[in-house]
Amino acid sequence: MRLPKNIVSQNVTVKRLIEGHTDETTGQWIDDTEATTATITNACVLPKSGNERAASSQTVYESNYALYAGSDDITFIAGYTDIEAGDIVIDSKGKRYQVTFPGCYGPAYQTDLKEL
């Protein structure tokens, strides 16, 4: 399903933090990095209403933005198949958000985000 393009649609990138670790073959320490997991075209990142923010306040899903995207608009990088809690969403203006609840509903995503 593709969501209709609208005035607030933008392209976003989804990244996942890869924690630092020791390479098993060389024994070298590899620092923390961010790996791109997906790109989304025509995504809508919208602020939540006061009631929506209050409902999630002081929970593990506390968020102040929501991302809406059709599943057909998401292109996953090889090796990745889903958006997970903790992933970082970067919009076309460079704003960064953390995924608090990755709501996948088959043909569309409604993902809760917290601005970083």
Side-chain angles (χ1 to χ4, degrees):
M1 170 182 191
R2 282 195 188 276
L3 295 181
K5 184 175 181 176
N6 61 49
I7 197 151
V8 294
S9 294
Q10 59 182 314
N11 297 337
V12 300
T13 303
V14 181
K15 296 189 174 213
R16 186 165 301 155
L17 178 66
I18 308 297
E19 294 183 9
H21 61 280
T22 303
D23 186 293
E24 294 180 8
T25 57
T26 64
Q28 296 283 339
W29 177 255
I30 299 173
D31 291 330
D32 294 346
T33 60
E34 285 183 347
T36 300
T37 61
T39 56
I40 306 173
T41 57
N42 298 329
C44 294
V45 178
L46 301 172
K48 288 187 166 187
S49 70
N51 289 339
E52 291 173 318
R53 284 194 310 272
S56 70
S57 181
Q58 298 181 356
T59 68
V60 292
Y61 304 116
E62 185 169 346
S63 59
N64 47 14
Y65 285 85
L67 176 140
Y68 301 93
S71 295
D72 293 343
D73 292 327
I74 302 173
T75 304
F76 287 101
I77 305 302
Y80 298 98
T81 58
D82 214 350
I83 296 173
E84 296 180 0
D87 285 354
I88 304 298
V89 174
I90 304 169
D91 71 13
S92 59
K93 297 173 188 150
K95 283 180 89 172
R96 296 170 65 91
Y97 309 87
Q98 184 172 29
V99 174
T100 59
F101 180 77
C104 177
Y105 302 100
Y109 277 76
Q110 178 187 345
T111 303
D112 292 340
L113 304 173
K114 185 171 189 169
E115 186 175 8
L116 297 176

